[in-house]
Amino acid sequence: MEPSAPTRPLSQFVLKLHSRCDLACDHCYVYEHADTSWKQRIRATPDEVFDRVAARIAEHAAVHHLDAVQVVFHGGEPLLAGPARIRRAAEALRGALDGRCTLELGIQTNAVLLSERFCDIFDEFGISVGVSLDGGRAENDRHRRFADGRSSYDRVVRSIGLLREPRYRHLYGGLLCTIDVDNDPLAVYDALMALEPPRIDFLLPHATHDVPPVRPGGPPAPYADWLLTIHRRWTAQGRPVPVRVFDSVRRMLRGGSSLVESIGTDPVDLVVIETDGTFEQADSLKTAYDGAPATGMDVFTHSLDEVAAHPGIAARRQGKEGLSDECRRCPVVDVCGGGLYAHRYRTGNGFANPSAYCADLMELILGIRDAEDEQVDREISVTTAPGQQDGSSLTEEQIDQLAAGYGDAGTVAALAAEQLGITRGLLTAVWERAPRDARTAAVWRVLAEVDEAAPEAVDTVLAHPYVRPWARRCLETGGDGGADVAGLAEVAAASVVRSAGRYGATVRVPVRGGAVRLPGLGRVLVGAADGDEAEVAADAGGFSVSAAGRTLRIAAQGPADAWWHPVRRVGPAGWTVALEDTDPYRDAHQWPPVSRQDESEVKAWHEDLVAAWDFLGRELPRYVPGLAAGLGTITPLVPPGDGSDVSGAARQAFGAVGIARPATPVTLALLVAHEFQHVKLGAVLDLMDLFDPDDTRLFHAPWRSDPRPLEGLLQGTYAHIAVAEYWRALARQGVPEAAAPFARWTRETAEAVDRLAGSGSLTPLGERFAARMAGTVAPWLSEVNGV
């Protein structure tokens, strides 16, 4: 009998490989804080624990139909376990989970012992390596020393140098820095940036109300001041790498989810497995009191469902309801979330308190909010930007970001909001063209009412890239009215399902191709004839579809089966995309889409996208924030027979690109970046005129034999900025065959920019775009020409 499912399964696991450490960091929560359980732990994790951990995770993944789980090797210092034990752990996990779900492996290490032998194992199993480092030599040596007082800095930096080598660069997961407010924040930031990390994590040192954080005399919120000093430089530099605490606050200010455990109200999905196989709650609880993380459970006698139901873990899944009254009344609670659970502890009333860092979290969130608001304050009206259409909310800075070829998350989110407005207008136009009968009126009434009750549900459906191509076809072909009603009903039904019970209604949806289409969700094969109708109803637990005398029930987050074909999500944590292989309007790209993908192909897409995203984060970081904010759908295309790479972007399908999965993840990264350039520029052209539309001349593009209209030249030039930068990244890695393409694409892109600028048909905004593109390419041209 399968164990009963908790409200939310566990998907993140910290597996301790060794319970001791080769450093004696005085801020370590494992050895220097309240908990002393490490003294009784066996040192190295035995084989039987690895095997039971792997079996428990596989069991849990099967019961809950998990698409992916994440396991991070930890300690103590995990490298003390040695290469053989690390390989044994990875083999056990891979063997148990292969074919069940995707396994993401990582390791957090002080890197003192890191060597080529370790890196080769990490490469074999795809283990991402995070390194703990607190800044430059002076900053790091305040705390991270050997027991005899020797500095660890040189050995760690030497190890990071190994990760920066081209052969291991893909393993470099980022740097983790514990804050010391006595350190100069900019010196710390600059020292970390000099090591070219793909991302940075800044951690507050663990503290409670019983043992409060160190606060030198001066400002009341020194940790916020320290972080905001870095935030200002990071922002001024164009956010060159992801910084998770900053990115999390920015995301949550826009209603998104957190990327870190220390802020936000997202439920905790993490459990720790110690070297002896005991299950524990988050390691940070070791700072509260002796035995705080204990669950009394172990891998030999308890399932992960039992662990997930533990009162301590359940308490951390209550969101705002689990916070103190003071926290619930706070204006920034939706972002702060009460801070890290361990930091709320006080003897006498446990964790029912604000964070020991309450003042710092408040100031940090408000400081980042104010920085974001400064962009809003610079919004330009349509009358002050030549060529800009009515209703655009892009600021001067955002226009310049896009003109240079990039665009941060806020900029691309602004484009997405404008595109959503266009789609809403098209939906209204379809309604106005649809037959005026009781059926159409009923569908429109449902849409209006769910938009009132759960507007975000309607927005999510209308943001699906292929709603707009459907609406455009309805309006361009005139239609007979039937297709209009079918599409409207599909949008209404998907909105009701997305509302998750906040709006109760049954929607009658015409059957097309033997199925009910729910845009952005998938399709339900109902076994009814075309022209028949199905009834779609939803509640908090899922939805049902009734047709042809039977009712099919689909649970929320339910698995695919013979009649329910959900849109699968793939990709790394922080950037999962819909792999769209169900929507009939996905043929908007110039290449034909594939039919429904089997699970092995979905897994291949997932693994390739994880690796592609890692490459983009390391080598093309300026594209990453915009991609994460705006690219939500990838449509698999039919590969050509000659083995060449195929990809495309549709002007009317914002947020989607079509790609035939290429041979390597690195090529996939190129295709994603290249095609999203077209997506961004298409959205820009919907808002503002960059050229005279009456100019019908054809222009030569250096990379094509056939002449192109001016818009085609502009689109190609903008997209090839990303192509040139991709080859530049490979050339800087030392890839021998990259130098020639880097030189070619840089020169041809620069030539195309000059041709645009000299066309005489650019508007003032178009001239601004050309000048910014030229500014992006000019330094690369100097590199190519040896200047």
Side-chain angles (χ1 to χ4, degrees), residues 469-534:
W470 155 76
R472 296 282 303 192
R473 290 187 201 181
C474 289
L475 297 172
E476 290 168 359
T477 61
D480 61 3
D484 299 356
V485 175
L488 286 171
E490 290 164 348
V491 169
S495 299
V496 168
V497 172
R498 289 278 188 190
S499 76
R502 283 170 292 168
Y503 174 78
T506 298
V507 185
R508 298 178 69 85
V509 182
V511 175
R512 294 196 281 181
V516 169
R517 167 194 175 234
L518 298 172
L521 292 168
R523 67 184 176 202
V524 184
L525 305 181
V526 295
D530 287 7
D532 287 350
E533 286 188 329

Side-chain angles (χ1 to χ4, degrees), residues 155-429:
R155 293 181 66 171
V156 176
V157 170
R158 188 161 51 247
S159 295
I160 294 172
L162 187 63
L163 291 173
R164 292 167 64 190
E165 292 182 8
R167 57 182 170 152
Y168 297 132
R169 185 69 183 268
H170 61 288
L171 302 174
Y172 192 6
L175 298 177
L176 184 151
C177 171
T178 300
I179 298 168
D180 184 330
V181 291
D182 285 331
N183 285 332
D184 180 340
L186 296 183
V188 170
Y189 174 73
D190 290 343
L192 298 179
M193 288 296 294
L195 298 173
E196 299 181 310
R199 63 189 57 84
I200 298 174
D201 284 352
F202 290 111
L203 300 187
L204 293 168
H206 288 314
T208 66
H209 291 280
D210 292 350
V211 185
V214 174
R215 296 188 181 278
Y223 295 89
D225 291 346
W226 196 93
L227 284 167
L228 288 171
T229 300
I230 293 176
H231 180 265
R232 287 188 288 273
R233 174 166 291 185
W234 177 73
T235 301
Q237 293 175 342
R239 306 183 184 109
V241 300
V243 177
R244 292 208 303 171
V245 64
F246 299 157
D247 289 331
S248 292
V249 173
R250 294 176 67 243
R251 284 165 60 98
M252 289 186 291
L253 286 168
R254 298 193 300 270
S257 59
S258 179
L259 303 171
V260 295
E261 181 190 359
S262 56
I263 52 176
T265 57
D266 295 336
V268 175
D269 295 334
L270 178 144
V271 68
V272 177
I273 303 102
E274 291 285 354
T275 54
D276 57 4
T278 55
F279 286 119
E280 289 205 339
Q281 302 173 66
D283 258 6
S284 56
L285 288 173
K286 293 180 186 295
T287 201
Y289 57 88
D290 199 6
T295 66
M297 303 182 189
D298 62 69
V299 296
F300 299 102
T301 54
H302 300 90
S303 72
L304 283 167
D305 278 353
E306 292 175 288
V307 177
H310 183 274
I313 291 179
R316 303 177 68 202
R317 296 180 162 204
Q318 295 176 1
K320 287 191 288 187
E321 295 303 313
L323 301 179
S324 66
D325 290 341
E326 182 179 347
C327 284
R328 289 200 296 270
R329 293 192 299 267
C330 178
V332 300
V333 63
D334 289 326
V335 178
C336 171
L340 191 69
Y341 191 75
H343 295 173
R344 306 174 201 167
Y345 183 75
R346 186 194 303 271
T347 300
N349 65 339
F351 299 94
N353 308 287
S355 170
Y357 288 99
C358 179
D360 295 280
L361 293 171
M362 172 77 81
E363 184 170 321
L364 175 66
I365 292 164
L366 295 179
I368 294 176
R369 186 200 65 184
D370 290 345
E372 296 285 306
D373 286 347
E374 287 179 8
Q375 291 188 351
V376 176
D377 291 340
R378 294 194 299 269
E379 284 183 0
I380 54 176
S381 69
V382 294
T383 58
T384 60
Q388 189 170 347
Q389 295 184 9
D390 290 351
S392 170
S393 62
L394 292 178
T395 66
E396 294 278 358
E397 180 187 353
Q398 289 172 331
I399 290 174
D400 286 340
Q401 287 181 23
L402 291 164
Y406 303 107
D408 64 18
T411 299
V412 175
L415 286 179
E418 298 282 3
Q419 292 288 299
L420 178 60
I422 292 172
T423 303
R424 278 184 169 269
L426 289 172
L427 188 74
T428 300

Side-chain angles (χ1 to χ4, degrees), residues 613-772:
W613 189 247
D614 188 59
F615 175 90
L616 289 165
R618 293 193 319 271
E619 306 300 340
L620 299 173
R622 294 189 68 179
Y623 296 87
V624 164
L627 281 165
L631 182 58
T633 298
I634 291 179
T635 296
L637 302 178
V638 175
D642 60 2
S644 60
D645 294 319
V646 163
S647 61
R651 175 69 178 275
Q652 303 301 331
F654 179 84
V657 298
I659 296 175
R661 189 169 64 83
T664 69
V666 172
T667 302
L668 179 58
L670 167 62
L671 299 179
V672 165
H674 174 196
E675 295 302 339
F676 194 65
Q677 293 291 91
H678 289 300
V679 171
K680 288 187 296 186
L681 188 59
V684 168
L685 292 173
D686 282 340
L687 299 178
M688 57 192 73
D689 296 325
L690 301 186
F691 58 90
D692 180 1
D694 293 329
D695 187 343
T696 59
R697 292 177 295 165
L698 298 179
F699 296 81
H700 174 67
W703 47 82
R704 294 182 68 116
S705 59
D706 55 321
R708 307 283 291 156
L710 194 57
E711 180 176 350
L713 177 62
L714 175 60
Q715 281 277 6
T717 306
Y718 194 77
H720 282 104
I721 288 175
V723 175
E725 193 165 1
Y726 164 86
W727 287 109
R728 177 176 181 261
L730 292 185
R732 287 165 66 89
Q733 281 187 6
V735 177
E737 59 269 28
F742 170 42
R744 174 202 167 189
W745 289 115
T746 298
R747 290 176 177 139
E748 291 187 353
T749 305
E751 179 184 344
V753 172
D754 290 341
R755 193 158 294 156
L756 285 167
S759 69
S761 288
L762 298 183
T763 65
L765 268 178
E767 292 173 352
R768 185 168 164 182
F769 261 66
R772 293 284 177 174

Side-chain angles (χ1 to χ4, degrees), residues 58 64 143 161 378 445 455 494 498 554 558 571 578 590 625 633 682 755:
H64 297 282
H143 303 286
R378 294 194 299 269
R445 184 171 60 253
R498 289 278 188 190
I554 295 99
Q590 62 265 46
T633 298
R755 193 158 294 156

Side-chain angles (χ1 to χ4, degrees), residues 107-126:
I107 190 167
Q108 187 65 40
T109 173
N110 62 34
V112 167
L113 297 175
L114 192 68
S115 65
E116 292 184 6
R117 187 178 177 192
F118 281 113
C119 287
D120 287 340
I121 292 172
F122 299 156
D123 182 38
E124 179 182 351
F125 290 96

